[in-house]
Amino acid sequence: MRARVETFTERLERTVLSPMAKSSNSYKALVLFLLAVMFWGLYAFIVQLNYGLMATGMRDTVMWGLYLVNFVFFIGISHAGTLISAILRVSNATWRTPVTRMAELITVVAISIGALMPIIDLGRPERVWHIIVWGRFQSPLLWDIVSIASYLSGSILYLYLPLIPDFALMRDRFGRGTSNVKRKIYTWLAVGWKGTPEQHHRLEKAIGIMALTIIPIAVSVHTVVSYVFAMTLRPGWDSTAFGIYFVIGAIFSGLASILIVMAIFRKIYHLEEYLTERHFKNLSHLFLVALLFYAYLTIGEFLVPGYKMAIEEKHLLELIMLGQDAGWFWFFVVGGMVVPAILLIFRIGRTIPRILVAAVLVNIAMWIKRFIIVVPSLKVPLMPFEFGTYTPTWVEWSITAAAFAAFVLIFAVFAKIMPLISIWEVAEENEQREHATEGKGK
Amino acid sequence: MQFKEKGLTRRQFIKKSAGAMGLLSLVSSPLLPILGRAKASETDSGEDHQQEKKHAWSMVIDLKRCDGCTGLDIPPQCTQACISGHFAPKGHKWIEIYDVELPGGGKYFLPMPCYQCENAPCVNVCPVGATYHDKDGVVLIDHHRCIGCRMCMAACPYQRRFFNWGKPEVPPEASLAEYSPLYPVPAVRGTVIKCMFCAHYLQDGRLPYCVTACPRKALYIGDLNQDIAGNGTEIVKLSKFLGENDAFRNKEDLGTQPRVFYLPGHGQDAGRKADDDRPLLPNTWAWGGEGYNKKVGVWPWEKEVK
């Protein structure tokens, strides 16, 4: 019995740590490709700095575009992580253990990229420090900044705390074979972790406090992101339900992202033993709940103004459902709601591919939904003039592509410097399970 | 022994506390603005907020007289004077005339400057206090402070704000002007700009460009505090003038409390009939040329579109 437990832990360490020791050629190729896309995006940004926002498709009527869409999208998928892992931790769902690390990593990476987007969107990005010096707390943008800054720092802390024992493990494992610098960094990151009961107790306590703290912060983040829109007198935005609508949308697309990330790393890091079908199934239940909740809120958002048909709302609904942007909207409805719901409810075919298809569809559709939220509302004329138009330029598309490339790249790099599965927690859990079966056997 | 087990010496404690304080201050630095000046610009522009409010500038537009200059076969003169007076970047119409359809057929013309709302949505949402009410109630923009986030443009329910998407091309004489929020010339790239009631003229007791230029004398500039308004040829008692002529404000129900009042009509005093379908003539810019239209091509390898 004892030997079997040892094997489990050893095998766990080997599978999870081995990708960190060596890099395959395809990994290097991926990194090079992503770097190329990022440099292209950087070039586009330099063009934009040179021309001004004239280089974008935004104009006086539709004055926000892809950058804000990306902002809402990335902040949205950042909810994957911390909120979901914290809720599962607080509710003591034990199956969460192999999932949390990836979820938390998504949060940190997505929020960093999301927060850059409004700065790229500024007419005078070099004046961004004015917000610190002359910030006014009456502005929803300042709520965003405070909230996102708290979320970012909280998420980093929440990612870091459960990493300490794993960093200690890597300090011990990589000690002899690897370079001095690497060992020093891991030693520094492990902050003297020895695995004493006292340390364990303190760590658990700290993680528990962070898990509780991060939930209200996470909810506040997406609420105030929605307030940037909801605090204006625009059709489609002027809604009291926008806060919860954005929060649920964020959880929805966040769950989709985490499912995608899990499926990818399960495959290429050979984590089949730890990320089992059960994890996908359990998350897909949450995913379905989020989908139904989001569908409910979406119906409300369209039915309530659609019933009353105030003139500006009428223009907006016609634009979205029948007009110029109808293709986008109906793709969202079919590809982001109906098809994923069918895939999740009727269990046809193999579990993981089925859930993965639903997750990919939802993430695409949710990006489009953010486009539907941001752009058509601005096209609607508030005064008797023509509808606005918006066609993003290659500059905007390039920067968008670079943002996605940066997301994947940072994730790929982090996957090399930290174990993507919380080794100590999984080992601990396995030990407990072993004890339980032993107890039953006696 | 006890100390050893706790693993914390005094030196370490001090070190760690200092680290924690540093981290805390770093994390909470975005919170600083709460403690600082919440209402930025007013104090900054050197005007004492406590000072007695001398004026409450407002405008009355008599739609009975406005025919959009269609009767004279010229482009709207208010817009034209505003463009040349402010060296407005090409395409910017800080006062713009819209035609609004009448329920019984036909249309009337609605000149729209910035309404200088008392409960201005744009002022509320500005994250850096770059747009603000000055002591006379005019909504101004500090273009050296504006970061170009365009939140105010999203918030304005009348779409009366414009953005300098590129470097505005203005005639050379514009650079002779001394910039001030009251007279934002030359326009600053990457910032928001709009009508400011020609506050630099009002200060000197002169009339705004649009009021002077209106050939029908349809525009009155006035002061709610002193209850007086004038269009350059006649002077009226403001409250009585508004009351007797059934004045209304645009989108009154939004609660923005605009300081621009309209007297209903369709240009009948200028001899225009409601069903007259002569369109507004386009305004012209003597500058800007192709420069302001400079934008990137459809594809990165294409030359810029001119």
Side-chain angles (χ1 to χ4, degrees), chain A residues 129-378:
Chain A
W129 57 274
H130 285 195
I131 296 176
I132 307 289
V133 185
W134 284 300
R136 288 171 74 250
F137 210 63
Q138 291 93 322
S139 168
L141 277 181
L142 217 74
W143 309 343
D144 266 14
I145 287 157
V146 171
S147 191
I148 289 174
S150 321
Y151 192 41
L152 180 60
S153 41
S155 303
I156 289 173
L157 211 57
Y158 187 59
L159 172 70
Y160 174 65
L161 284 176
L163 264 170
I164 295 174
D166 284 350
F167 280 140
L169 181 79
M170 285 151 74
R171 170 196 63 193
D172 302 340
R173 284 288 174 287
F174 290 164
R176 290 160 294 277
T178 47
S179 67
N180 211 18
V181 183
K182 214 169 172 181
R183 194 176 66 230
K184 265 195 181 147
I185 291 171
Y186 282 127
T187 313
W188 184 72
L189 284 170
V191 287
W193 177 265
K194 289 188 210 70
T196 60
E198 167 83 25
Q199 283 182 329
H200 260 286
H201 175 69
R202 283 193 186 163
L203 183 69
E204 296 281 0
K205 202 170 171 183
I207 293 173
I209 291 172
M210 277 318 292
L212 278 177
T213 317
I214 211 85
I215 294 174
I217 297 179
V219 171
S220 82
V221 167
H222 230 84
T223 308
V224 297
V225 166
S226 86
Y227 284 173
V228 169
F229 303 102
M231 291 297 162
T232 65
L233 292 158
R234 296 260 175 182
W237 292 358
D238 185 4
S239 155
T240 49
F242 242 40
I244 187 71
Y245 192 39
F246 271 49
V247 171
I248 299 298
I251 294 173
F252 183 40
S253 58
L255 279 164
S257 322
I258 193 175
L259 282 165
I260 295 171
V261 169
M262 270 167 63
I264 291 172
F265 281 100
R266 182 180 194 263
K267 185 93 184 151
I268 56 176
Y269 275 22
H270 309 292
L271 303 175
E272 285 86 352
E273 188 182 347
Y274 316 104
L275 295 172
T276 61
E277 265 190 22
R278 180 164 159 259
H279 294 105
F280 281 88
K281 268 189 188 156
N282 282 353
L283 274 177
S284 81
H285 295 328
L286 283 181
F287 192 35
L288 181 61
V289 170
L291 186 152
L292 294 175
F293 204 169
Y294 196 70
Y296 162 76
L297 287 168
T298 305
I299 291 168
E301 277 298 302
F302 287 109
L303 183 64
V304 172
Y307 191 87
K308 291 175 283 195
M309 282 289 179
I311 187 68
E312 282 164 6
E313 300 280 0
K314 179 170 173 281
H315 286 321
L316 179 66
L317 290 176
E318 280 171 357
L319 192 64
I320 291 176
M321 295 190 172
L322 308 166
Q324 230 174 358
D325 296 313
W328 297 110
F329 177 74
W330 293 111
F331 178 84
F332 158 74
V333 171
V334 177
M337 304 256 99
V338 178
V339 175
I342 291 171
L343 283 170
L344 294 173
I345 293 170
F346 303 103
R347 299 173 182 179
I348 312 156
R350 282 162 54 222
T351 313
I352 294 176
R354 173 171 63 83
I355 294 172
L356 185 62
V357 169
V360 170
L361 274 176
V362 164
N363 250 352
I364 297 170
M366 283 306 283
W367 189 88
I368 288 168
K369 181 73 212 310
R370 270 64 179 255
F371 187 89
I372 291 289
I373 289 175
V374 174
V375 175
S377 280
L378 292 170

Side-chain angles (χ1 to χ4, degrees), chain B residues 205-270:
Chain B
R206 298 170 67 183
L207 299 176
Y209 293 120
C210 52
V211 174
T212 317
C214 179
R216 304 296 193 187
K217 294 290 158 208
L219 277 63
Y220 295 75
I221 189 84
D223 180 349
L224 288 167
N225 284 353
Q226 295 177 4
D227 202 14
I228 193 170
N231 64 357
T233 53
E234 62 175 315
I235 292 189
V236 293
K237 187 173 163 58
L238 187 52
S239 53
K240 198 174 151 210
F241 189 56
L242 294 176
E244 284 178 354
N245 291 287
D246 308 322
F248 71 95
R249 295 191 286 189
N250 203 342
K251 300 194 189 183
E252 179 81 69
D253 50 324
L254 296 181
T256 49
Q257 301 177 47
R259 284 219 171 139
V260 173
F261 303 86
Y262 291 104
L263 310 181
H266 56 265
Q268 57 268 51
D269 286 5

Side-chain angles (χ1 to χ4, degrees), chain A residues 7-190:
Chain A
T7 353
F8 179 85
T9 319
E10 271 173 19
R11 192 167 65 243
L12 173 70
E13 283 174 16
R14 183 169 49 77
T15 354
V16 177
L17 292 182
S18 70
M20 301 168 62
K22 57 181 194 311
S23 304
S24 66
N25 279 335
S26 47
Y27 176 84
K28 283 170 193 156
L30 177 74
V31 167
L32 280 179
F33 170 71
L34 295 172
L35 276 175
V37 177
M38 280 178 68
F39 274 107
W40 178 253
L42 191 67
Y43 167 70
F45 184 56
I46 290 168
V47 168
Q48 179 180 309
L49 286 179
N50 192 20
Y51 280 69
L53 288 178
M54 205 69 198
T56 69
M58 298 182 279
R59 288 299 175 268
D60 281 338
T61 35
V62 183
M63 87 300 278
W64 282 341
L66 283 196
Y67 300 142
L68 265 280
V69 175
N70 292 334
F71 168 60
V72 181
F73 178 79
F74 278 111
I75 301 292
I77 60 174
S78 81
H79 267 45
T82 308
L83 186 62
I84 290 153
S85 111
I87 286 176
L88 294 179
R89 213 183 270 275
V90 170
S91 62
N92 252 333
T94 43
W95 59 269
R96 69 166 206 276
T97 322
V99 179
T100 46
R101 175 72 42 80
M102 288 183 198
E104 287 152 17
L105 190 54
I106 292 180
T107 299
V108 172
V109 180
I111 203 162
S112 313
I113 291 170
L116 271 180
M117 283 294 147
I119 297 172
I120 293 173
D121 184 64
L122 289 185
R124 302 296 294 228
E126 79 278 12
R127 291 184 184 173
V128 69
W129 57 274
H130 285 195
I131 296 176
I132 307 289
V133 185
W134 284 300
R136 288 171 74 250
F137 210 63
Q138 291 93 322
S139 168
L141 277 181
L142 217 74
W143 309 343
D144 266 14
I145 287 157
V146 171
S147 191
I148 289 174
S150 321
Y151 192 41
L152 180 60
S153 41
S155 303
I156 289 173
L157 211 57
Y158 187 59
L159 172 70
Y160 174 65
L161 284 176
L163 264 170
I164 295 174
D166 284 350
F167 280 140
L169 181 79
M170 285 151 74
R171 170 196 63 193
D172 302 340
R173 284 288 174 287
F174 290 164
R176 290 160 294 277
T178 47
S179 67
N180 211 18
V181 183
K182 214 169 172 181
R183 194 176 66 230
K184 265 195 181 147
I185 291 171
Y186 282 127
T187 313
W188 184 72
L189 284 170

Side-chain angles (χ1 to χ4, degrees), chain A residues 389-442:
Chain A
T389 55
Y390 173 61
T391 320
T393 59
W394 66 267
V395 173
E396 287 165 286
W397 286 119
S398 303
I399 291 176
T400 302
F404 280 91
F407 177 79
V408 180
L409 181 67
I410 300 174
F411 209 95
V413 169
F414 270 123
K416 287 284 168 193
I417 56 177
M418 59 174 75
L420 281 182
I421 284 186
S422 181
I423 297 174
W424 66 283
E425 281 180 295
V426 172
E428 213 169 62
E429 203 184 275
N430 185 64
E431 218 165 294
Q432 277 168 7
R433 208 181 308 129
E434 295 286 341
H435 275 301
T437 44
E438 254 174 67
K440 256 180 208 168
K442 276 173 195 172

Side-chain angles (χ1 to χ4, degrees), chain B residues 1 12 16 51 53 74 88 93 99 101 103 109 146 156 161 171 195 199 222 229 231 235 258 262 269 280 301:
Chain B
M1 206 48 206
Q12 278 172 323
K16 282 187 180 163
Q51 191 184 327
K53 290 187 179 177
I74 45 175
K93 294 176 180 174
D99 31 304
E101 280 174 27
F109 292 108
C146 174
C156 178
R161 289 183 158 245
C195 156
N231 64 357
I235 292 189
Y262 291 104
D269 286 5
L280 292 167
W301 48 88

Side-chain angles (χ1 to χ4, degrees), chain B:
Chain B
M1 206 48 206
Q2 281 285 356
F3 274 111
K4 232 187 172 155
E5 209 164 81
K6 284 216 166 182
L8 200 67
T9 61
R10 189 197 317 229
R11 182 190 290 261
Q12 278 172 323
F13 175 74
I14 292 170
K15 258 184 171 174
K16 282 187 180 163
S17 311
M21 289 297 281
L23 192 71
L24 195 71
S25 56
L26 198 72
V27 166
S28 59
S29 60
L31 291 167
L32 279 177
I34 317 173
L35 309 170
R37 28 179 130 166
K39 272 201 154 188
S41 263
E42 281 125 322
T43 48
D44 233 50
S45 55
E47 293 156 359
D48 188 357
H49 195 52
Q50 297 303 316
Q51 191 184 327
E52 187 199 345
K53 290 187 179 177
K54 276 188 189 158
H55 305 288
W57 299 125
S58 61
M59 197 179 268
V60 186
I61 300 176
D62 190 349
L63 301 179
K64 293 194 294 296
R65 292 185 184 179
C66 177
D67 64 348
C69 295
T70 53
L72 302 166
D73 273 332
I74 45 175
Q77 290 303 294
C78 49
T79 316
Q80 202 58 53
C82 177
I83 291 166
S84 48
H86 293 108
F87 306 104
K90 197 175 185 183
H92 285 200
K93 294 176 180 174
W94 298 349
I95 178 166
E96 185 165 7
I97 300 190
Y98 292 119
D99 31 304
V100 187
E101 280 174 27
L102 286 162
K107 62 184 180 186
Y108 68 94
F109 292 108
L110 187 76
M112 287 190 59
C114 168
Y115 286 167
Q116 323 291 351
C117 307
E118 281 172 38
N119 175 22
C122 53
V123 172
N124 292 340
V125 299
C126 181
V128 293
T131 186
Y132 59 100
H133 280 109
D134 84 341
K135 62 179 191 339
D136 295 332
V138 180
V139 177
L140 299 178
I141 300 168
D142 182 345
H143 294 87
H144 295 317
R145 184 180 289 186
C146 174
I147 57 172
C149 67
R150 312 190 292 293
M151 183 85 206
C152 54
M153 297 175 74
C156 178
Y158 307 102
Q159 292 185 335
R160 287 330 298 155
R161 289 183 158 245
F162 302 84
F163 194 70
N164 293 306
W165 295 97
K167 187 173 177 0
E169 288 214 352
V170 289
E173 56 267 35
S175 49
L176 297 175
E178 197 186 334
Y179 170 88
S180 98
L182 300 172
Y183 186 60
V185 175
V188 181
R189 163 183 156 163
T191 58
V192 177
I193 201 163
K194 68 169 191 72
C195 156
M196 74 311 291
F197 268 11
C198 292
H200 66 303
Y201 268 17
L202 294 176
Q203 242 177 5
D204 304 342
R206 298 170 67 183
L207 299 176
Y209 293 120
C210 52
V211 174
T212 317
C214 179
R216 304 296 193 187
K217 294 290 158 208
L219 277 63
Y220 295 75
I221 189 84
D223 180 349
L224 288 167
N225 284 353
Q226 295 177 4
D227 202 14
I228 193 170
N231 64 357
T233 53
E234 62 175 315
I235 292 189
V236 293
K237 187 173 163 58
L238 187 52
S239 53
K240 198 174 151 210
F241 189 56
L242 294 176
E244 284 178 354
N245 291 287
D246 308 322
F248 71 95
R249 295 191 286 189
N250 203 342
K251 300 194 189 183
E252 179 81 69
D253 50 324
L254 296 181
T256 49
Q257 301 177 47
R259 284 219 171 139
V260 173
F261 303 86
Y262 291 104
L263 310 181
H266 56 265
Q268 57 268 51
D269 286 5
R272 182 181 172 274
K273 295 213 162 41
D275 57 1
D276 185 344
D277 58 1
R278 272 178 293 178
L280 292 167
L281 294 175
N283 286 107
T284 49
W285 280 258
W287 51 83
E290 293 173 317
Y292 199 73
N293 292 332
K294 172 178 154 182
K295 57 182 177 186
V296 297
V298 179
W299 298 103
W301 48 88
E302 277 179 28
K303 283 281 167 213
E304 59 194 40
V305 177
K306 290 217 163 178

